[in-house]
Amino acid sequence: MFRRAKTLAILAFVATGVGALTFYLSFYPDSPDWVTQEWQENLPLTEMPRPTQLGQPEHEGRLLDTYVTIRPQAVAGVPVDGTYLKTVKKAKRLVWARARYLNEEDLPDPTLIQKELNRAEVLRIHVQAIEDELECEMTSAFHPRLIWRRGNWRLIFQRNCEKSGGQVLEVAWNSKGTLVHLRPAGSHFAWEQSRVFLYPKGPKLSELQSYEIAVSSSPGFLRTPNLLVLSDAGYKINDLEHLARIRPEDETFDMVQAYFFANRALAWTEENLSFTSGNLKIRTQVGYPRKTNASFYFNREVRLGSGDGEVFTHIAWDPSIVIHEIMHAVIESLTGLPFQGEGGSLQEGLADTLTALQLDSPNMGEAAYKKGPYQRTLENEMNFPDRTGGLYHDSLILSGMLWSLKTEVAAESAQDLTIYLLSRLTPDSGFEDTQRHVQTWLEQCSEGERCDRIGSVLSRRGWL
Ligand SMILES: [Zn+2]
């Protein structure tokens, strides 16, 4: 549809000259003609309208007895921004699917994209300039992507680079080597922003104890097949005797605490969601030698600063922060939700909920936050219509609802709905979409009186 619009716009531009420029810009649609399809049961997936060309899976994982995959639509193998096909399969049988995509006539010609891909070699010379100028070291290969900007599809090439303070930037060029964007990447925790000794529930709620934990027998030690803990200060654990001698006053104590909490969180997800999240890295002392309040998840890595001692202290010792960050990896794999906007609020709300369910506590940042008893709490009375667009503010509407299901109905109900949402939310999900899934979930409730209690909580909070 907008291909015709483009021709018309160009004709108008040629006919009337510069005066038509405004017309040209406003004539283009703000967004492409998205097609959204949800799979109807008892039909093979092939009969559901969906993109013919798909890219490599961007996210995937097991969730209970189902397998979730999210793949983008592709042109000449290049992922198209904003598209996806999410499938949920049980014993290889499709149980649910949803797609957001574009009809082929609304996408660029694959042969033209292929030509542009071939030209992209020239980009290599621009990388050094960015590295030097920003003191930001490239940490990934080029990822081509088709994005929609000002009424047209553009091919961009993204890379991530890392600054000395641990901050990650996403850099994108077009095929001619012009910088398209440069922005922070990833999700931030909040607000900004052998036998070992440890605090099993953090230093606020537990005493230092001697604990038996499983570690790797080879150098690195604080690692499992799914997790590796490192220090940006370069601290290393020499051997298992060294590990046993580490105490809170040692710099390496952060690594021990983070390792302990992260493994507990991963064991919880495996037990409760049958979900395994591999390939995770935790970096402590991020920003060294500065004591930063860094605390975020990005690209399979959790980054934790030491805490500046004013707003946060000993970030890695706080179970809610470490677990929250690890949960982002789980949520990202299962939903593809973004870290900003409405989807970002859902991502934060789910991360807090999963953390609260594990710790049996609604308070986030309780041990490390110094400006109050905690940074935020899920014990609130925020209702569905209270949204303001604030990332963490709105996240509390979702997490507050889920937490009240736990306290007023049953922990299983809160957990069941959380898992249901993980299986249904998609990269473009917002609150309206979430509300629809919450309602469908309630319609499927078969526990009599408990369903009524769930209904009254949801209704009071404006979710029905
Ligand atoms: Zn977060």
Side-chain angles (χ1 to χ4, degrees), residues 187-190 324-325 328 348 351 376 392:
S187 150
H188 296 251
F189 180 63
H324 173 102
E325 298 309 335
H328 274 307
E348 295 303 338
R376 54 181 182 266
Y392 292 100

Side-chain angles (χ1 to χ4, degrees), residues 65-248:
D65 53 351
T66 62
Y67 197 80
V68 179
T69 314
I70 303 175
R71 299 176 69 179
Q73 185 176 17
V75 175
V78 177
V80 180
D81 208 41
T83 62
Y84 65 85
L85 168 66
K86 175 169 180 172
T87 54
V88 180
K89 288 181 178 171
K90 197 170 184 168
K92 294 194 177 159
R93 270 195 51 239
L94 188 72
V95 291
W96 189 79
R98 186 181 160 93
R100 185 183 199 239
Y101 65 101
L102 291 147
N103 289 319
E104 257 151 62
E105 66 265 25
D106 291 337
L107 284 164
D109 182 348
T111 50
L112 293 179
I113 296 300
Q114 190 55 55
K115 269 190 195 159
E116 234 183 303
L117 282 173
N118 298 343
R119 275 207 308 265
E121 269 302 300
V122 72
L123 287 179
R124 304 203 182 283
I125 54 171
H126 297 274
V127 172
Q128 192 67 49
I130 287 283
E131 280 194 316
D132 296 347
E133 215 172 290
L134 301 174
E135 292 177 11
C136 197
E137 194 187 332
M138 293 298 160
T139 51
S140 74
F142 282 110
H143 296 293
R145 200 165 183 87
L146 275 163
I147 59 163
W148 177 260
R149 285 289 178 282
R150 282 179 238 112
N152 223 332
W153 286 105
R154 285 152 214 268
L155 179 63
I156 61 162
F157 297 84
Q158 288 176 335
R159 276 189 94 164
N160 302 319
C161 70
E162 191 178 320
K163 303 201 33 121
S164 57
Q167 192 192 12
V168 180
L169 299 177
E170 182 187 284
V171 194
W173 295 266
N174 65 19
S175 57
K176 295 191 183 93
T178 309
L179 198 65
V180 177
H181 68 242
L182 180 68
R183 59 188 178 204
S187 150
H188 296 251
F189 180 63
W191 44 90
E192 120 208 314
Q193 117 160 218
S194 107
R195 186 153 284 275
V196 293
F197 280 87
L198 50 77
Y199 298 106
K201 292 181 175 177
K204 192 167 176 180
L205 302 175
S206 58
E207 298 291 322
L208 190 71
Q209 286 172 29
S210 167
Y211 232 88
E212 191 91 21
I213 58 165
V215 296
S216 164
S217 58
S218 50
F221 305 107
L222 297 179
R223 70 188 304 165
T224 72
N226 297 323
L227 179 74
L228 170 63
V229 178
L230 297 168
S231 162
D232 274 20
Y235 299 128
K236 293 221 160 37
I237 290 157
N238 307 323
D239 49 48
L240 293 177
E241 277 135 49
H242 176 196
L243 187 61
R245 284 197 309 272
I246 296 170
R247 295 292 184 276

